Amino acid sequence: MARNPYESYKKQSIMTMTPGDMLITLYDEILKECTAGKIALAKKDYSEVNRALQKVQRVLNHLKATLDFKYEISNSLSSLYDYFIRQVMEANMKKDAAFLDEVMPMIKDLRDTYSEADKRSRSGAAKA
């Protein structure tokens, strides 16, 4: 049975990602689905709101579950992820985009910070 070439490409690209690339991709997915949820809220398409925001919760729960608590920052990130999850749940339950508006800039800042750290670690590794 023939496989979808796009699905094969997507699977291969995920399998060859660095941990930094994967983390940035997950944050991009969170931001994409938050935006989709906000658009769906504006259209009063509540099944789409639910789909998008549940996906955000799953990705945030995944990020939280993969924290390595031997590093002190993991406790802070865990609390931050809990906060994000609560806000996304509130947005979904109350059908109010204000909860998303509150956390999306913080999520974008985290994403950008990880992206910069990944670039710096790669350039440092290349010099060594």
Side-chain angles (χ1 to χ4, degrees):
M1 185 167 178
R3 291 180 56 176
N4 179 334
Y6 175 73
E7 287 300 318
S8 295
Y9 168 78
K10 190 170 146 182
K11 183 176 181 182
Q12 183 62 31
S13 68
I14 289 171
M15 298 297 287
T16 59
M17 282 183 174
T18 66
D21 289 336
M22 180 61 75
L23 189 58
I24 293 161
T25 299
L26 290 170
Y27 274 97
D28 286 343
E29 186 67 17
I30 290 168
L31 292 168
K32 180 184 95 171
E33 292 298 334
C34 281
T35 300
K38 285 178 61 173
I39 291 167
L41 277 168
K43 293 179 179 179
K44 298 188 184 319
D45 182 352
Y46 298 126
S47 65
E48 175 60 14
V49 170
N50 190 52
R51 184 213 57 81
L53 298 186
Q54 283 189 356
K55 186 168 186 181
V56 171
Q57 290 175 58
R58 283 193 304 274
V59 175
L60 288 167
N61 277 313
H62 171 76
L63 289 171
K64 183 178 175 183
T66 58
L67 289 172
D68 185 346
F69 286 94
K70 73 180 179 184
Y71 300 104
E72 192 174 316
I73 190 140
S74 293
N75 289 314
S76 298
L77 285 170
S78 179
S79 296
L80 197 55
Y81 292 149
D82 284 340
Y83 171 71
F84 292 159
I85 292 164
R86 280 192 309 274
Q87 293 299 100
V88 171
M89 287 173 61
E90 289 292 320
N92 197 2
M93 289 186 304
K94 295 181 179 174
K95 306 304 181 215
D96 186 348
F99 293 99
L100 299 175
D101 292 336
E102 186 173 324
V103 296
M104 286 177 70
M106 290 183 262
I107 293 168
K108 184 175 182 332
D109 285 347
L110 268 175
R111 182 243 181 254
D112 293 346
T113 299
Y114 282 123
S115 179
E116 185 61 30
D118 187 50
K119 285 178 194 170
R120 288 183 185 196
S121 72
R122 287 182 196 206
S123 69
K127 291 177 185 176

